[in-house]
Amino acid sequence: MEKAIDVFWSKGFAATSTDDLLNAMGIGRQSLYNAFGDKRQLYLEALRTYQRNTTSGHLARLTSPTSPLDGILDLLVGLVSEDDARRRLGCMGVGSVGEFGTTDPELVEMREKISPVLHARLVGRIREGQAKGEIDSSLEPAEAAAFIQMTMTGLQVAARGGAGAEDLHGLARFTVDRLRAK
């Protein structure tokens, strides 16, 4: 599955041929069809795996530091690969929206499962930061969490567009500074 993810992530769904997948995965055509049905079903499974892995990483970065603000900064900075080629791949999830649009029922269902988990953890960290006096108490936690999630998407799109790591890190720091208690 990791090899299929790499192919889809670098080429996108439309530009990936079945032969690309067979070569990368080292399997035969019939094995692919028996296991996944078709290229789209393999893509959806690859995207599910990708989202599980990235969400686990997001949650680990968000919750590991003692400081809620440091956790939010770690979350945002962790989106930015130092490797130029890897960073320009952007986010496979964001890429799937570009490939299939915002209304594809299977992709909508995937986003609806993942997004609330991260949102709830962000709200919790924001409230924790407000209680500690780190985060501006006038901020509505759910709105601030939504802002952070939009910033995450923006960082991923900017990375795919070729933005440099330092610029993206600066945007992450800017975002966290907007949350800071005055």
Side-chain angles (χ1 to χ4, degrees), residues 22 27 35 73 94 96 99 102 112 115 117 123 134 144 150 166:
L22 298 175
I27 62 174
L73 182 60
V94 172
S96 71
E99 295 251 8
T102 59
E112 287 176 351
S115 186
V117 172
V123 168
E134 284 185 8
M150 294 281 190
E166 192 49 47

Side-chain angles (χ1 to χ4, degrees), residues 6-166:
D6 287 344
V7 173
F8 282 130
W9 195 7
S10 65
K11 291 186 163 200
F13 176 80
T16 298
S17 71
T18 302
D19 287 339
D20 292 333
L21 295 166
L22 298 175
N23 291 334
M25 296 172 73
I27 62 174
R29 190 171 303 276
Q30 195 59 50
S31 294
L32 182 127
Y33 293 137
N34 289 344
F36 300 101
D38 63 12
K39 181 177 103 169
R40 179 177 164 80
Q41 292 310 309
L42 175 56
Y43 179 82
L44 292 172
E45 188 56 38
L47 185 57
R48 281 185 199 93
T49 301
Y50 172 86
Q51 286 183 329
R52 274 192 306 272
N53 294 344
T54 57
T55 300
S56 294
H58 296 340
L59 295 175
R61 287 190 307 277
L62 177 62
T63 58
S64 64
T66 305
S67 161
L69 273 177
D70 288 345
I72 293 167
L73 182 60
D74 285 355
L75 168 68
L76 295 173
V77 169
L79 295 171
V80 180
S81 174
E82 296 303 318
D83 178 311
D84 289 343
R86 193 81 167 160
R87 185 176 58 254
R88 287 190 184 111
L89 290 176
C91 170
M92 191 171 160
V94 172
S96 71
V97 172
E99 295 251 8
F100 295 99
T102 59
T103 59
D104 182 282
E106 291 168 300
L107 295 175
V108 168
E109 181 183 343
M110 276 190 242
R111 282 193 305 273
E112 287 176 351
K113 286 181 180 176
I114 297 291
S115 186
V117 172
L118 181 58
H119 184 81
R121 291 280 179 90
L122 280 165
V123 168
R125 286 301 269 179
I126 291 164
R127 286 185 176 137
E128 181 184 342
Q130 288 174 323
K132 289 182 173 185
E134 284 185 8
I135 295 178
D136 186 342
S137 61
S138 70
L139 296 175
E140 195 331 283
E143 289 175 3
F147 174 72
I148 293 165
Q149 287 179 284
M150 294 281 190
T151 300
M152 291 172 69
T153 301
L155 287 168
Q156 293 161 335
V157 170
R160 178 101 188 202
E166 192 49 47

